[in-house]
Amino acid sequence: MNSHERNFLRKRAHELKPVVMVGKSGNDERVNAALREALAVHELVKVKFQDHLDECRSIAEELATATDSEVVTVLGHVATLFKQNPDPAKRIVHIPKEVRS
């Protein structure tokens, strides 16, 4: 993901509310399953960290690896992840061609 795509997705995610919460148990299979579901439906998802606040970046990277998504940004205790639907007809977030270059 290049910086233009990242900036485009950050702007799109600004208005979103966190959908997945990471609590005391940290990164476990329940969080991964909830994130996979949310990414399948929304493509662009915010994850809020309620615990392990000093490890937000590393947990976000682990979540991205576990769900085959990409970390767009981590700001404070909220991470934004993106996974584009492989089927172009079902895509919700359309990245313009000018941004992809």
Side-chain angles (χ1 to χ4, degrees):
M1 176 182 303
N2 66 36
S3 63
H4 296 292
E5 290 173 340
R6 193 173 309 279
N7 286 335
F8 175 79
L9 292 171
R10 278 188 16 216
K11 289 177 189 176
R12 290 286 306 265
H14 179 73
E15 63 203 27
L16 299 178
K17 301 287 182 200
V19 177
V20 178
M21 306 291 179
V22 177
K24 291 180 182 179
S25 60
N27 182 13
D28 63 1
E29 188 52 43
R30 293 175 299 171
V31 174
N32 290 337
L35 184 57
R36 272 190 219 98
E37 236 179 88
L39 286 166
V41 173
H42 302 290
E43 292 184 335
L44 187 62
V45 174
K46 281 189 176 180
V47 178
K48 182 163 177 94
F49 296 91
Q50 297 174 331
D51 204 358
H52 305 285
L53 302 177
D54 54 338
E55 303 169 13
C56 292
R57 170 65 69 180
S58 61
I59 293 174
E61 292 291 339
E62 290 173 12
L63 288 170
T65 303
T67 58
D68 295 325
S69 61
E70 295 186 58
V71 176
V72 175
T73 185
V74 177
L75 287 172
H77 307 306
V78 178
T80 306
L81 285 87
F82 176 71
K83 181 177 181 181
Q84 193 165 41
N85 195 320
D87 183 7
K90 295 182 180 178
R91 289 184 183 162
I92 296 169
V93 178
H94 299 282
I95 300 174
K97 290 181 183 177
E98 311 83 55
V99 174
R100 286 191 207 154
S101 57

